[in-house]
Amino acid sequence: MSNLPDLPPAAPEPDPWASLRAFTAARIALGRTGASVPLHEALAFKLAHAHARDAVYSVLDTERLLAELATLGLPLHQVSSRAQNRQEYLQRPDHGRQLAEESKAHLVADAECDVAIVLADGLSATAINAHAVPLLGLLLPELRATGLHLGPLVLAEQARVALGDEIGHLLRARLVLVLIGERPGLSAPDSLGAYFTYGPRPGLTDEARNCVSNIRSAGLPYAAAAAKLSWLLREALRRQLSGVALKDQADLLTE
């Protein structure tokens, strides 16, 4: 039997980059204990991974969203993609890009509109539940102030970004804006993305769209996102294009 006293466990070694954690939610400056990360950081990683998985399988809070969206003063439709459940949505991305047949009848347009807006669950319904209505509360007044004719709001389940192109085409919209839950990250399970397409129609691909991403309280704030989207949407309509040909130049100094 050894007579040596028991030694206390080694304290985590401080990380020289620890001060940078005040500026980002990224997993940096975790410290280390021996050759590994500290236990509390390992557990935090597992918890973040669980939150990301939960976000993928989260569902729209449909009743609350419909009630809140009804206060925004626009016609409201509820549709779904061809994907009949979450498993099919994840295994068949193409089904998430196509409207279910029974949903098409809800989207018969009497007249053209400048902008139609789609709220899609995507890969994180949590993001739509948390951020879509507050963002629209700031964005819609800016769009109305410029005289744009706004089309209906469409709440879409089991939806991919490209589903907005078919919806916009059926609504005879000059431009469609899709607010969608983005793929969850280990520090952002509730990130909201905003994709828009000029001249929406089925079959368009990613180069025809623009994206403003990471809209959330710990990312791009609502007010900044609304201002950026307002400028981009007006430019897309003025120049009659979107995608790789349209750059965000709102912050450039002009003479």
Side-chain angles (χ1 to χ4, degrees), residues 22-231:
F23 303 100
T24 178
R27 311 184 75 81
I28 64 170
L30 303 182
R32 59 190 176 94
T33 301
S36 185
V37 297
L39 177 61
H40 71 277
E41 292 292 353
L43 294 176
F45 179 88
K46 291 180 180 292
L47 179 61
H49 186 258
H51 284 319
R53 288 178 60 90
D54 287 346
V56 170
Y57 288 94
S58 62
V59 296
L60 292 172
D61 188 352
T62 305
E63 184 175 349
R64 178 180 64 82
L65 285 170
L66 290 175
E68 293 179 350
L69 292 171
T71 67
L72 298 178
L74 291 173
L76 182 60
H77 300 295
Q78 187 177 1
V79 301
S80 61
S81 74
R82 282 185 58 198
Q84 298 184 21
N85 52 56
R86 205 58 176 171
Q87 198 67 21
E88 181 181 351
Y89 173 84
L90 295 173
Q91 293 178 344
R92 290 294 304 268
D94 56 320
H95 286 183
R97 301 184 184 107
Q98 304 167 37
L99 275 172
E101 287 300 321
E102 59 270 21
S103 290
K104 296 180 181 180
H106 297 295
L107 301 176
V108 178
D110 296 325
E112 293 183 356
C113 61
D114 291 318
V115 180
I117 300 176
V118 180
L119 285 70
D121 49 5
L123 287 168
S124 175
T126 299
I128 292 293
N129 293 335
H131 307 308
V133 173
L135 175 62
L136 288 176
L138 296 174
L139 177 61
L140 292 183
E142 292 201 25
L143 298 180
R144 286 186 171 116
T146 62
L148 293 180
H149 177 206
L150 300 180
L153 296 173
V154 180
L155 185 62
E157 295 184 271
Q158 311 294 4
R160 302 273 177 177
V161 172
L163 189 71
D165 295 333
E166 185 175 5
I167 292 172
H169 181 70
L170 290 172
L171 291 175
R172 299 173 63 190
R174 295 175 62 203
L175 183 148
V176 66
L177 170 65
V178 179
L179 304 181
I180 191 167
E182 296 184 307
R183 185 183 304 276
L186 291 176
S187 60
D190 63 337
S191 181
L192 181 71
Y195 294 78
F196 64 87
T197 311
Y198 181 84
R201 62 187 185 277
L204 294 178
T205 49
D206 288 343
E207 85 285 348
R209 290 184 272 272
N210 292 78
C211 175
V212 176
S213 65
N214 197 31
I215 303 170
R216 59 191 182 99
S217 55
L220 183 65
Y222 302 142
K228 187 178 292 292
L229 283 169
S230 177
W231 187 91

